[in-house]
Amino acid sequence: CSAAQVRAALDRLVSLGLVRHNTGNDDRYQAVDPLAGLAALVRDRRHALDRLEAASYELSRVFTAGLMRTEPQRLFEVVEGRAATASRIHDLLGSARTEVVGIDTPPYVAPSSTHVSDAELGLLRRGVRFRSLYASQVLDEPALVARIQWMVDNGEEARTLPQVPMKLLVVDRETAVVLLAGEATAPETLSVVAARSALTDGLQAIFEQLWSHASPIRFGSGRRDVTGASDADTSELVDLLNAGMKDESIARHLSVSPRTVRRRIAALLDELDATGRFQAGARAAQRGLIRP
C-alpha cells in the first residue's frame, strides 16, 4: 500500500474509535481493545437503526395518508389461496412491534394451523402482547387445545365466546386481515388485508367489545378450592368450565373419563350450592375462584 492509502486507512480506524492517534512528538498510532472499540460501534449502529425504524413508521403513516387521498383502493389488498394467506399472516406477525389481536374460528387457512409458527414464537419472545379470542368450538379439538395451552403458557392472553363473527387479525392497530371466504363457504380461501384506516379502527373496536364479554381460557391456575385447600384439579376444572369446554373435551384434556368429569362437576356444584353451571359460574366468581 502507498503511504496515502495507509494514512487514509488509519484515519478511518481513528474515526471509528478502533485506533488512537498520538499527535505528540512520536505521532504514533495505538490500537484500542477490540472489545471496547467494537462495543461502542455496535451501540452506535443500534441507535442508528432505532432512529431509522422510527422514521420508517412515520414515513409509513404519511404514505398511508397520501394513499387515502390519491389512491384509496391501494389501502386494501385481496389475497387468494391458503398458502398466500398464511404467508401474509406470517409476515405481518414478524413485523409486529407492540400488540397483535386475533379472532379464531374454523375453518383454518392452512393444514398447520394446529402448530405454533415461528412467527408466533418470535412474537412471544419479543414481548409483543398477543390477545386471541376463540370460538368455543375450537376447544372441542384436542390438537387445537394443546396449541392454545402452549401459547397461554408462553404469554398469550386467551378468551372464548360461544360464537364469533369472523376470523380476524389486527397488528399494532394498523393492519388488519379478515378472512372473507374459506372451506365452509367457498372452495378457495379469500382474505383482505387493510392498511390503517377507519376500517382497521372499527375492526379493533369490534375485537375490544367482544373481548370485554369473553371468558378467559386458563389451564390450571393453582388457586384454592372452595374448602380452602390447595387443589390444582379443582382449579383447572373451574377454568375449563368457565372457558366453555364440553364434558368430553375436558375429559380428554385431563386424561380422565367423561364419567369422572361429570362426577367432579357434580361435586363442584354441590360445594358451591349451585343448581346449574351458570349459577355455579356466578358463585365461583363471587368467591374469587375465577379471576377477571
Side-chain angles (χ1 to χ4, degrees):
C1 297
S2 67
Q5 289 175 316
V6 172
R7 175 72 66 177
L10 287 169
D11 289 344
R12 174 64 173 158
L13 291 172
V14 170
S15 69
L16 293 173
L18 298 176
V19 168
R20 293 193 185 93
H21 184 199
N22 183 359
T23 57
N25 295 331
D26 56 2
D27 195 32
R28 297 182 62 182
Y29 290 84
Q30 292 182 321
V32 173
D33 182 342
L35 183 61
L38 291 174
L41 280 179
V42 169
R43 286 195 298 272
D44 289 344
R45 291 291 179 88
R46 283 176 178 162
H47 292 157
L49 289 173
D50 288 342
R51 291 193 296 271
L52 180 61
E53 184 179 30
S56 70
Y57 296 141
E58 178 61 18
L59 286 172
S60 177
R61 185 190 65 79
V62 174
F63 177 74
T64 301
L67 286 181
M68 189 82 72
R69 293 191 302 271
T70 60
E71 299 179 78
Q73 69 275 10
R74 288 184 57 189
L75 292 174
F76 306 98
E77 171 192 357
V78 177
V79 182
E80 299 183 49
R82 295 160 64 96
T85 299
S87 177
R88 194 72 175 88
I89 290 174
H90 182 278
D91 292 342
L92 285 172
L93 290 177
S95 67
R97 308 185 309 276
T98 58
E99 182 186 47
V100 172
V101 302
I103 300 177
D104 197 15
T105 182
Y108 293 98
V109 300
S112 60
S113 292
T114 57
H115 304 293
V116 177
S117 71
D118 292 339
E120 291 168 323
L121 182 60
L123 193 77
L124 296 170
R125 287 176 173 172
R126 295 199 312 273
V128 176
R129 189 184 185 192
F130 199 172
R131 291 185 289 160
S132 292
L133 182 60
Y134 297 94
S136 59
Q137 67 190 101
V138 171
L139 301 178
D140 295 333
E141 299 293 333
L144 293 173
V145 170
R147 179 187 188 279
I148 295 170
Q149 181 170 11
W150 193 98
M151 294 289 286
V152 169
D153 289 344
N154 283 272
E156 178 187 281
E157 300 170 51
R159 295 187 182 184
T160 182
L161 280 174
Q163 292 183 324
V164 296
M166 69 187 85
K167 288 176 67 70
L168 170 69
L169 185 76
V170 183
V171 178
D172 293 330
R173 298 176 177 264
E174 295 178 351
T175 308
V177 182
V178 182
L179 186 70
L180 300 180
E183 293 176 351
T185 56
E188 188 60 77
T189 298
L190 186 68
S191 59
V192 63
V193 181
R196 185 169 188 175
S197 59
L199 176 60
T200 55
D201 292 342
L203 291 171
Q204 181 79 31
I206 289 172
F207 173 86
E208 298 295 349
Q209 183 69 16
L210 294 171
W211 181 260
S212 68
H213 291 89
S215 300
I217 300 176
R218 301 187 185 93
F219 300 95
S221 51
R223 296 186 306 276
R224 294 185 176 276
D225 67 5
V226 292
T227 66
S230 178
D231 188 341
D233 289 341
T234 298
S235 296
E236 186 161 18
L237 179 60
V238 170
D239 284 333
L240 299 178
L241 285 171
N242 186 54
M245 261 195 188
K246 296 178 181 178
D247 292 357
E248 292 75 11
S249 300
I250 294 175
R252 285 195 298 267
H253 181 75
L254 297 178
S255 298
V256 298
S257 69
R259 181 177 179 181
T260 298
V261 169
R262 287 190 286 271
R263 177 175 55 79
R264 290 183 181 177
I265 292 174
L268 181 63
L269 294 178
D270 192 47
E271 288 286 349
L272 292 170
D273 193 23
T275 57
R277 296 190 183 193
F278 181 82
Q279 186 181 37
R283 294 192 174 180
Q286 291 172 353
R287 299 192 188 190
L289 294 175
I290 299 175
R291 292 174 295 177

